[in-house]
Amino acid sequence: MAGGLLMSSAIGVLLATALPAHPSPSAFTDPPTDRIVIDIATVNGSGCPKDTAAVAVSEDNTAFTVTYSEYLAQVGGGAPATAARRNCQLNLVVHVPHGFTYAIASADYRGYASLAAGASATAKASYYFQGSPQTASREHPFNGAYEDNWQATDTTDWAQLVWAPCGVQRNFNINTELRVRAGTSSPRATSYMTMDSTDGDISTVYHLAWRECPPA
């Protein structure tokens, strides 16, 4: 994989909570033993038509995955202009065992890209809890010529983790976007980018950090 395709960036502060703003690593705890459950409340976007996105939680409660089956942005090859940008917004209901709260420590995105020389693409993601006025976004650029799996990672420093508020249900929203640009590539060239991979592996993994809530 070409250098620079695997990138890390801080997600940043998205929501102020009642928990301390700068927890130390020693404040973290092991994941709860009771299974967490994540339901999709709503799903919208051209990149995730009905029944093409799914969520699954790891058995050890350390991560959850999102898979897509029709998430593809494309230019050329007779594709309409609207196909150059695809997006998906997931509104997730995260059922957390009593006494625990969670934060997104990192997110791994992957897919496949076929970019002609002179073409480019961008994978974009943002995260926020329901009710938050702030949204932080990160973009990962890719340049042609390129034809292979791609991967990008967003990582949050421990001091900047944003925790779900204790004792209150706040849905977690994930917005993603793929955009492909023809640039200086040949008018006859086809370029595309997907949010999945040719071997069918998991496309997106969200890694969780856990803390115990303070006594009520």
Side-chain angles (χ1 to χ4, degrees), residues 3 7 15 19 34 46 52 55 85 92 103 116 121 127 138-139 150 158 165 172-173 176-177 191 197 199 209:
M7 297 167 284
L15 177 68
L19 296 174
D34 292 340
S46 55
T52 65
V55 178
R85 175 185 178 273
L92 305 179
Y127 319 77
R138 294 296 177 267
E139 295 187 5
W150 63 268
W158 62 264
F172 187 66
N173 291 272
T176 56
E177 175 185 319
S191 295
S197 61
D199 57 12

Side-chain angles (χ1 to χ4, degrees), residues 26-205:
S26 61
F28 299 161
T29 187
D30 291 333
T33 55
D34 292 340
R35 289 295 304 274
I36 65 172
V37 176
I38 299 179
D39 296 321
I40 299 178
T42 60
V43 54
N44 294 289
S46 55
C48 50
K50 181 178 173 59
D51 298 328
T52 65
V55 178
V57 181
S58 66
E59 292 187 0
D60 59 4
N61 288 341
T62 61
F64 67 90
T65 62
V66 180
T67 55
Y68 307 94
S69 59
E70 295 185 17
Y71 204 152
L72 180 147
Q74 178 179 321
V75 294
T82 54
R85 175 185 178 273
R86 291 288 186 253
N87 75 293
C88 183
Q89 177 169 324
L90 297 176
N91 182 272
L92 305 179
V93 183
V94 183
H95 303 278
V96 177
H98 179 72
F100 287 88
T101 183
Y102 70 95
I104 304 298
S106 64
D108 300 324
Y109 297 91
R110 65 173 299 176
Y112 191 85
S114 177
L115 304 176
S120 63
T122 302
K124 181 179 179 181
S126 61
Y127 319 77
Y128 65 94
F129 288 105
Q130 183 180 22
S132 171
Q134 297 174 307
T135 301
S137 299
R138 294 296 177 267
E139 295 187 5
H140 303 279
F142 302 86
N143 296 309
Y146 183 81
E147 184 149 5
D148 203 346
N149 290 322
W150 63 268
Q151 182 170 331
T153 299
D154 290 335
T155 302
T156 304
D157 182 77
W158 62 264
Q160 295 180 309
L161 289 177
V162 180
W163 301 90
C166 287
V168 181
Q169 179 63 55
R170 292 287 187 268
N171 289 6
F172 187 66
N173 291 272
I174 300 171
N175 293 325
T176 56
E177 175 185 319
L178 297 179
R179 188 184 295 268
V180 181
R181 304 169 186 82
T184 59
S185 62
S186 167
R188 297 184 299 274
T190 298
S191 295
Y192 64 89
M193 187 178 198
T194 72
M195 188 80 80
D196 56 19
S197 61
T198 55
D199 57 12
D201 283 353
I202 295 302
S203 56
T204 307
V205 182

